[in-house]
């Protein structure tokens, strides 16, 4: 959780390299990890990588989250 929060702060501050380093340290594959990684790739204009990350995030969200929020799936 701490690493994800640090990555989110880096995203808001546009500190891409620092944020990606925090993301890489997260070992568990969660939808939020891939969603944040996609956001960083989008900032870097790596749109194909971002799309892959968003696709993985959606897949994990649909698989792992029991009480799904349609607004989350729509935003991913």
């Amino acid at each position: 959780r701490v690493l994800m929060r640090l990555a989110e702060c880096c995203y808001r501050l546009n500190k891409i390299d620092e944020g990606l380093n925090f993301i890489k340290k997260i070992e568990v594959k969660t939808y939020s990890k891939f969603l944040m990684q996609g956001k960083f790739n989008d900032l870097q204009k790596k749109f194909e990588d971002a799309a892959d990350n968003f696709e993985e995030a959606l897949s994990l969200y649909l698989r792992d989250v029991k009480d799904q929020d349609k607004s989350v799936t729509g935003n991913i």
Side-chain angles (χ1 to χ4, degrees):
R1 289 183 160 198
V2 173
L3 291 171
M4 182 57 70
R5 185 69 178 128
L6 290 168
E8 289 171 357
C9 291
C10 289
Y11 177 78
R12 288 187 181 99
L13 296 170
N14 205 27
K15 295 186 175 191
I16 297 168
D17 292 332
E18 288 179 58
L20 284 172
N21 284 330
F22 289 125
I23 293 289
K24 289 177 186 175
K25 292 178 183 179
I26 300 171
E27 295 177 6
V28 179
K29 290 185 178 184
T30 64
Y31 83 91
S32 57
K33 173 186 175 177
F34 285 97
L35 182 61
M36 183 57 63
Q37 192 170 358
K39 289 180 176 185
F40 279 115
N41 281 325
D42 185 61
L43 283 177
Q44 294 179 305
K45 299 190 182 341
K46 295 180 179 179
F47 301 121
E48 286 185 35
D49 291 339
D52 290 341
N53 293 137
F54 293 142
E55 187 175 319
E56 183 69 20
L58 181 58
S59 174
L60 290 171
Y61 183 81
L62 293 174
R63 186 190 78 188
D64 297 339
V65 178
K66 293 179 183 179
D67 295 322
Q68 296 174 4
D69 182 342
K70 294 207 185 260
S71 67
V72 173
T73 57
N75 286 328
I76 295 176

